[in-house]
Amino acid sequence: MNARPPGEVRAAGAVLWRDTSRGVRVAVVHRPQYDDWSLPKGKLDRDETVPAAAVRELREETGFSATLGRRLSTVRYSVDAGRKTVEYFSAAAGEGTFEANAEVDELRWLSPAEAEKALTYRRDAAVLRAFMALPAPLSTVLLVRHAKAGKRGEWTGDDDLRPLSSAGARQAEAVRKLAPLFGVDRVFSAPPLRCVQTAAGTAEDLGTEVGIEPSLSETGYWPDADRGLSRLRAIVTAGGTPLIASQGGVIPDLLSSLAARAGITLPAGKRGTVPCKKGSVWVLSFHAGSSNGGPLLAAADYYPTALPAPAPARL
């Protein structure tokens, strides 16, 4: 985990939403300690990831389980302990019942317009407006670059059989812990063993098999990139929340194609490329349903690592 700046307080929260017969409703909570109305949030525990903290805090403050979606914004402000940084997500409410507790004594489900008026702080209202900028129901895909597998030059066998290193195994375990926070329910992988091993823990937790996708490997993608892109779109169209493990020679081009069609600009990493570190995760949000050309990318969030680390860069 990277060192945090002195005096920095890290926190995570969300716009917790649900569909009702009257449309989307979002949760706002009253904190008796401050006598304010705010979005649910809370501090990170030691060695906790930002997404894990968001889901935990939502459960503790509201009583509801939550499935994370796109990242909304980063809010920074001064507190007695120094500087506070809060990462906010969109989060779909699951099962649960609110009970008053030491931190929150009242919860209201309001329309976004009503919630904006009720919120005490302008910074929370700005987060809510970021939520309102896109439809609440979006399809989510986790696109993962395989974890570390040692140096290629030191492996004498078939490169497709090169296994994860000990560091790669730790990265894969972190992906395994991240996946349920976003509601992953299907698992796919390019054929190389290091890709399959990166996704295998998630599949095991779901009691399913890893679907092998040759068109999303480096050897399968480049002879016909359009076929690989079409396969990704088909996986999205099939529904649910898939996790796809692929390779560094595929992911940047896939993302660039999706972003170009959607009119989204991706930031450049080193040497002008789309960032794609080993063990990294792209959380992709697509508009629900599909157009004539297939699902349309709505947002993309890059997590350089699934291990406890600074929050993801917003794209």
Side-chain angles (χ1 to χ4, degrees):
M1 177 185 295
N2 292 0
R4 297 176 182 175
E8 182 189 23
V9 177
R10 298 290 304 282
V15 175
L16 184 67
W17 65 274
R18 62 184 184 185
D19 261 330
T20 73
S21 60
R22 298 178 297 157
V24 169
R25 293 294 183 266
V26 301
V28 296
V29 296
H30 182 261
R31 302 184 300 173
Q33 180 180 357
Y34 303 102
D35 190 22
D36 62 12
W37 288 93
S38 67
L39 299 172
K41 65 179 182 299
K43 299 175 185 176
L44 271 65
D45 287 341
R46 182 178 177 83
D47 293 332
E48 186 176 37
T49 65
V50 172
V55 171
R56 176 183 55 76
E57 285 290 341
L58 288 171
R59 169 67 81 175
E60 291 176 0
E61 291 200 352
T62 72
F64 286 85
S65 63
T67 300
L68 299 181
R70 64 190 178 98
R71 180 174 162 272
L72 298 175
S73 60
T74 303
V75 174
R76 296 179 177 88
Y77 55 96
S78 296
V79 293
D80 291 342
R83 191 74 171 164
K84 189 167 188 176
T85 300
V86 188
E87 303 290 338
Y88 284 99
F89 297 82
S90 171
E95 297 295 322
T97 302
F98 173 73
E99 294 183 4
N101 54 76
E103 293 188 51
V104 175
D105 62 354
E106 187 176 353
L107 180 150
R108 294 179 183 174
W109 291 100
L110 304 175
S111 71
E114 292 169 337
E116 185 172 356
K117 294 178 181 178
L119 290 168
T120 301
Y121 306 108
R122 285 183 293 179
R123 58 178 178 261
D124 283 359
V127 174
L128 183 59
R129 286 193 293 272
F131 168 79
M132 295 167 62
L134 290 173
L138 295 170
S139 298
T140 302
V141 175
L142 270 60
L143 184 58
V144 182
R145 184 180 177 184
H146 68 77
K148 293 180 179 179
K151 295 181 179 179
R152 182 177 302 186
E154 296 176 357
W155 176 255
T156 58
D158 183 343
D159 189 59
D160 277 358
L161 299 179
R162 182 158 48 99
L164 296 182
S165 64
S166 57
R170 290 192 294 273
Q171 290 177 318
E173 183 63 21
V175 170
R176 184 178 189 171
K177 293 178 180 178
L178 183 73
L181 302 175
F182 291 89
V184 167
D185 54 13
R186 296 186 295 143
V187 183
F188 301 90
S189 174
L193 179 60
R194 54 194 178 275
C195 296
V196 176
Q197 288 181 327
T198 300
T202 299
E204 180 181 346
D205 291 342
L206 292 169
T208 189
E209 299 292 327
V210 177
I212 303 302
E213 297 292 339
S215 63
L216 297 177
S217 69
E218 290 174 350
T219 56
Y221 179 81
W222 284 108
D224 189 349
D226 287 341
R227 182 165 65 98
L229 185 60
S230 294
R231 180 57 189 144
L232 176 66
R233 290 174 177 164
I235 290 173
V236 178
T237 300
T241 302
L243 180 148
I244 305 170
S246 186
Q247 296 177 273
V250 175
I251 291 172
D253 191 75
L254 264 179
L255 287 172
S256 296
S257 297
L258 291 168
R261 179 173 173 270
I264 294 174
T265 300
L266 300 176
K270 293 182 179 179
R271 296 182 293 278
T273 60
V274 174
C276 185
K277 294 176 62 177
K278 291 178 181 176
S280 64
V281 181
W282 281 90
V283 176
L284 307 178
S285 300
F286 292 84
H287 290 282
S290 62
S291 61
N292 292 335
L296 188 67
L297 186 67
D301 300 306
Y302 178 60
Y303 296 72
T305 176
L307 293 162
R314 177 69 180 124
L315 306 188

